[in-house]
Amino acid sequence: MAVVTIRQMLDAGVHFGHQTQRWNPKVKRFILTERSGIHIIDLQQSLAHIDNAYDFVKETVARGGSILFVGTKKQAQESIAAEAIRVGQPYVNQRWLGGLMTNFQTVLGRLERMKELEQLDFSDTTKGFTKKELLMKRRELEKLHKSLGGIRNLTKTPSAMWIVDAKREHLAIDEAKKLGIPVIGILDTNADPDDIAYPIPGNDDAIRSVALLTRVIADAVAEGLIKRHEKPAEAGNVSAVEPLAEWERELLEQSNAAAEAPAAAAAEVVEAPAAAEAPAADAAAE
């Protein structure tokens, strides 16, 4: 079963590329045609690449990995944060800080500083801080929340990265290459396919297109989490014996409910003929 349909992609405008003069010749194989000076992306190829990326993300998360969602352009900020939070993954939707991955130990220090500031009571001036000092600390905390709030629970470099705009997020891609982190991303007609391990040909400028493709990747993460917790604890899967977070429990309950619904319907179909046959059998006995 396809994780997304051609109709959904058409409605979201995934097939629209950039103007013909703003293209990268390396993406020629993904372009179907040209219309009104705009390249049209072949959605059949996009569908195949979505399936590949979906399977990779699902298996990566099932093995205990994490996916870093990256999208700092205005069209992507809201959907990146919403979908990453929905499946409990780290995200960056503000400016990418240079060295965020390659200098991760320093970043961990700033995360500790952020958590330390969160323990302060900024309305209490009796704890040894003046009003001016508390104001400066509050501003520092707000700045840390804005730049690092999405990765507050990240304790090591991610297993893979989901990137919305490969040209805009070139710093993130460069750092991922240095560390050998696979990149899954939207490949628009102006981007370089060599930068992305799992490219999905599509429109990275339309809000609906970005939201649709980001949701697909988040769904893959959710399925991977469910698969991770279904593995037996005897196989060395630590996550199977750890208590589930509330959002993980909700995902598992939704999955179980979806699986039980067809079985319940089938049971009703089987019971209906049996109920109809019972009166007939009683009449024959009399």
Side-chain angles (χ1 to χ4, degrees):
M1 181 180 177
V3 295
V4 67
T5 64
I6 295 287
R7 170 53 59 188
Q8 288 175 316
M9 290 195 287
L10 283 171
D11 291 342
V14 177
H15 57 297
F16 290 119
H18 281 277
Q19 295 177 336
T20 52
Q21 65 265 28
R22 294 181 54 209
W23 77 310
N24 188 320
K26 290 183 181 180
V27 301
K28 183 177 181 180
R29 64 184 184 274
F30 301 116
I31 295 175
L32 179 65
T33 185
E34 171 195 335
R35 185 178 303 163
S36 302
I38 295 175
H39 280 133
I40 304 298
I41 295 167
D42 185 357
L43 292 184
Q44 290 289 351
Q45 293 192 57
S46 298
L47 203 58
H49 282 78
I50 286 174
D51 289 339
N52 290 337
Y54 190 94
D55 291 340
F56 170 74
V57 170
K58 180 177 69 175
E59 291 303 320
T60 299
V61 174
R63 291 194 299 266
S66 61
I67 309 296
L68 176 61
F69 286 63
V70 182
T72 61
K73 64 198 305 181
K74 287 185 178 180
Q75 298 95 315
Q77 288 177 349
E78 185 177 343
S79 58
I80 283 287
E83 295 297 338
I85 291 171
R86 176 169 72 89
V87 292
Q89 298 299 301
Y91 66 92
V92 175
N93 68 341
Q94 299 296 325
R95 186 174 70 89
W96 178 272
L97 301 177
L100 194 63
M101 292 293 106
T102 52
N103 197 15
F104 191 65
Q105 291 304 314
T106 301
V107 173
L108 285 177
R110 300 309 298 160
L111 289 174
E112 289 300 322
R113 173 62 174 168
M114 180 177 71
K115 293 172 183 177
E116 178 186 323
L117 290 173
E118 288 174 341
Q119 303 302 316
L120 294 178
D121 182 0
F122 292 102
S123 61
D124 187 359
T125 58
T126 64
K127 297 289 182 65
F129 295 109
T130 64
K131 285 186 177 180
K132 183 176 181 180
E133 287 174 333
L134 287 173
L135 178 61
M136 292 175 65
K137 289 181 183 296
R138 184 195 292 273
R139 288 175 178 171
E140 182 185 356
L141 179 59
E142 290 173 353
K143 186 176 180 180
L144 287 171
H145 274 159
K146 185 176 181 180
S147 57
L148 301 175
I151 60 169
R152 60 178 300 117
N153 297 321
L154 196 62
T155 57
K156 61 180 181 178
T157 54
S159 307
M161 292 170 58
W162 163 249
I163 288 182
V164 167
D165 188 334
K167 286 203 74 173
R168 183 186 180 93
E169 313 299 346
H170 62 94
L171 290 177
I173 290 177
D174 289 344
E175 292 189 30
K177 281 183 177 179
K178 288 179 182 178
L179 298 176
I181 300 174
V183 173
I184 314 112
I186 302 176
L187 178 69
D188 212 330
T189 56
N190 66 336
D192 186 350
D194 296 339
D195 290 338
I196 308 174
Y198 294 87
I200 298 177
N203 183 355
D204 63 13
D205 294 309
I207 295 176
R208 288 193 300 169
S209 172
V210 170
L212 175 66
L213 296 177
T214 302
R215 179 183 61 77
V216 168
I217 298 301
D219 288 345
V221 172
E223 193 169 334
L225 287 167
I226 293 170
K227 187 175 179 181
R228 181 197 302 180
H229 288 290
E230 286 175 349
K231 292 180 180 179
E234 294 80 14
N237 180 23
V238 179
S239 299
V241 294
E242 288 181 348
L244 297 178
E246 183 178 349
W247 60 271
E248 290 179 319
R249 192 177 297 108
E250 289 177 1
L251 285 174
L252 285 171
E253 289 172 354
Q254 291 171 6
S255 175
N256 292 336
E260 289 171 2
E268 290 176 2
V269 172
V270 172
E271 290 173 1
E277 289 170 4
D282 291 343
E286 292 174 359

